[in-house]
Amino acid sequence: MKLLKRIFKKELENPVNQAIPTIDLRMKYIYEAIMNHLKMKTTGALLLTGDWGSGKTYHIKNNIFPLLENETDFVPLIVSLYGVSSKNDIAQKVLFSYFDKKGKNSNISTGTIAKNLQNFTEAVPLVKKYVNIEKLITGTGDNIFRFLPHDKLLICFDDLERISDQVDVDDFLGIVNELVENKGSKVLIIANEKEINGGLTFKEKTIEKTIHFSPNISAIIDSIIETYTDESFKDYLKDNKEFLLKSLNPSSENKDDAKELKTQFSNIRTIKFAIEHFKYPFEIIKQGKDISDELVKKQLKSIWLFVLSISTEFRKPNNITFEERKNLDKQTTSFSDFDFSNINLGDINKETEEEPTENEWTYSEKFKELYYGRLSEQFVFHPEVYELITSSKKIIETDFWENLEKNFNIKEGKIHPAHELLNGFMHGYWKFSNEDFKANLEKLLDYGEKGELLDIISYLNAGVYLLNFADLFDSDKETIYQKLKSGLDTFLSNVTLNYLMTSQLEMVAGNFNEENLQNLISFIKEKIKEVEKTNDLKEAKRLSDLIVNDASAFVKEFIPGDSTIRTPDKPFFHELDETKVKESVLKWDGSAIMDMTSFLKLRYLDTGFSDRLIDELKFLTNLEEGVSGMDKTEKNLTNHLLETQLMPRINECKIVLENHKNALQQ
């Protein structure tokens, strides 16, 4: 036992030239609180509490402990309680932590102490007779704690909230109380207090003081930057540190949002995760573009905001995944669907009486407001970056560049001027001078009148600013309405409409309550119907010819690019020429028959949107009549496939659509 005590009393030597860290002034209060705790006569432990992942343990271990060892004769130990299942386990972990601390610079460790003690007892049989070394090291907590030099020992217990359910938290606090009051040790507990099951019921008896840890995000960013060896990436992070900090600022007018963001952005693991994933697209852009170019700067900032927001949401349990995107990837406008956060638009912002029900769209809107709206920044979905974060899928550079240019409406290497100007209004119109503001309103109206905005929502967004500030430039609301209407007429006559564009118009239409904007929405809907009717007639003629001449090519035009992400198919096949559909069946070979059989299953059976295709019963009936009118007396492969494959599939699909039709009629 004296041997143990001599080992324990061996002084630690600080290696020559070991760097002693300095404490950031904003974190100095923690160091001072711990120093005061060591100097004062205390009757309880010190609790350091803060959110998970905020860097509490890292700061204590790497900044506080080296200073304490340099400025005091205390021996600081850090003991994780993660998964500890008994009180004896706690005592053993303290003992072994002390062994390792004492042996850090003097060839003494848990293993060497145990070995030397064993050799000693083998050499001195009398000791072996009375001392069981194994039981001594693995004995009860009281026996183990007896050998520690408690008067100069700071025991830091970490991860209290992760202790095994087999250990009652109050029993652990009893150990702490014994160490403090009867052994004379100083005890520091590191924990996320709000995550401890049942709370600290005996806290007032055991915890003397509580320190709340608030991480210094600026210092954290600095330390993360220094871990990278790529100088260009380090320089970029340093040069844009102000923007990084701005994006990590949890300030929000909504207190609940601010609280949530503070918790998420205090997690060092999340910040590291985001920066590491940002590095990949950064390297691609650096190799292909000049990162000092103004457009490239905007793109990089957009990607950083996207990486940060997706990383934060992805690391939450039961949230977005590679497949479950909750409509974050659904946007028709390149910058943001709409931003009311920085402009007073009267009754446009009025609250509805009913709270919206939670669904994928409300999630995506909440997401955009939480991570983008509070910063007055544009939301852009970067599909390749999303897949990198959520599945570690390698970025395909050609797709990455194509989507980046598309998302920013790039024309001849620059953002389309109409959208660049609209972006200026949506994300900082107050930055214009008085003269520029008036001139830019006139220019925006000119772009709108000429049909140069590239999506429907952008015309409505432009209308918000033009109508709201009509008295600040030489125009009036009626003139603005007529010019925007003219521009929309030009735009809609030349654009390829799709389901996403029309569905999102329906989704956001309720936000535009100003009379002229509502009139524009009504005009857009009528124009869409008109354009669709014209386009459908042209398309019906083309596809009627195609299904006759090349059925396999016809099928390929309607197969979705990604079968895991389906949007409703537009009901259209009933518009095909009835005679040509029936005639086409006569020309199909085995491959065409099987292609059509598989396609019918995909279109009508493997989708949740078949109820929208009731009108296409006519198409299925035409196919059925075309098959029935064929001469099937000859026994060959074609007739066999028609009877055993295509006809049964047509019948399956007809039943599904007829059931939808009957349900609708009831």
Side-chain angles (χ1 to χ4, degrees), residues 552-564:
S552 294
F554 173 88
V555 166
K556 287 180 182 178
E557 290 204 17
F558 292 93
I559 294 178
D562 186 348
S563 60
T564 64

Side-chain angles (χ1 to χ4, degrees), residues 346-359:
D347 65 350
I348 293 181
N349 264 331
K350 71 179 181 181
E351 299 179 358
T352 57
E353 294 181 1
E354 296 182 3
E355 288 292 328
T357 56
E358 179 63 32
N359 55 45

Side-chain angles (χ1 to χ4, degrees), residues 396-410:
I396 299 175
E397 293 189 22
T398 53
D399 293 345
F400 173 77
W401 284 115
E402 180 181 348
N403 282 311
L404 193 61
E405 295 202 354
K406 176 182 174 183
N407 283 330
F408 276 80
N409 290 306
I410 295 176

Side-chain angles (χ1 to χ4, degrees), residues 183-234:
K183 302 296 185 183
S185 295
K186 301 291 186 179
V187 175
L188 171 66
I189 299 173
I190 302 176
N192 183 354
E193 186 179 0
K194 62 186 179 184
E195 297 295 335
I196 299 174
N197 291 332
L200 293 174
T201 54
F202 291 166
K203 177 179 176 181
E204 68 280 1
K205 297 181 180 179
T206 311
I207 308 300
E208 189 169 84
K209 292 180 182 178
T210 299
I211 315 171
H212 294 274
F213 183 85
S214 297
N216 179 358
I217 301 299
S218 178
I220 289 171
I221 293 293
D222 289 338
S223 65
I224 294 174
I225 290 174
E226 291 306 315
T227 64
Y228 287 96
T229 56
D230 182 343
E231 291 300 324
S232 61
F233 187 58
K234 288 177 70 172

Side-chain angles (χ1 to χ4, degrees), residues 82 143 153 204 209 286 350 373 395 449 492 566 592 623:
Y82 198 160
N143 285 337
L153 197 62
E204 68 280 1
K209 292 180 182 178
K286 181 190 71 173
K350 71 179 181 181
I395 292 178
E449 182 182 16
L492 292 170
R566 294 291 301 277
L623 285 179

Side-chain angles (χ1 to χ4, degrees), residues 263-400:
T263 299
Q264 299 300 327
F265 292 162
S266 295
N267 193 310
I268 297 176
R269 296 183 186 91
T270 297
I271 299 175
K272 287 182 176 178
F273 183 90
I275 291 178
E276 181 63 17
H277 283 78
F278 173 68
K279 184 172 181 286
Y280 284 79
F282 172 84
E283 289 176 342
I284 293 173
I285 290 178
K286 181 190 71 173
Q287 292 171 4
K289 299 286 184 178
D290 178 4
I291 60 174
S292 65
D293 179 79
E294 288 302 316
L295 172 58
V296 177
K297 287 180 181 179
K298 291 180 181 179
Q299 292 173 330
L300 284 170
K301 288 184 177 181
S302 169
I303 292 172
W304 164 251
L305 286 178
F306 184 76
V307 170
L308 175 64
S309 56
I310 295 298
S311 296
T312 304
E313 291 294 299
F314 177 64
R315 288 174 61 83
K316 294 179 182 178
N318 304 316
N319 209 351
I320 56 172
T321 64
F322 174 73
E323 293 184 348
E324 182 52 78
R325 306 184 181 198
K326 297 188 176 181
N327 277 333
L328 293 177
D329 55 338
K330 303 294 193 301
Q331 64 177 74
T332 57
T333 169
S334 301
F335 292 108
S336 69
D337 297 321
F338 202 74
D339 180 13
F340 290 116
S341 60
N342 293 303
I343 186 167
N344 179 14
L345 300 176
D347 65 350
I348 293 181
N349 264 331
K350 71 179 181 181
E351 299 179 358
T352 57
E353 294 181 1
E354 296 182 3
E355 288 292 328
T357 56
E358 179 63 32
N359 55 45
E360 288 184 339
W361 283 116
T362 56
Y363 173 86
S364 66
E365 293 308 302
K366 173 70 174 178
F367 172 94
K368 294 170 188 177
E369 177 57 32
L370 190 64
Y371 293 106
Y372 289 82
R374 67 187 178 86
L375 298 172
S376 296
E377 294 288 345
Q378 64 268 28
F379 171 72
V380 178
F381 185 84
H382 301 276
E384 293 75 27
V385 179
Y386 184 92
E387 292 176 356
L388 170 71
I389 295 171
T390 58
S391 70
S392 295
K393 183 178 178 181
K394 183 180 179 180
I395 292 178
I396 299 175
E397 293 189 22
T398 53
D399 293 345
F400 173 77

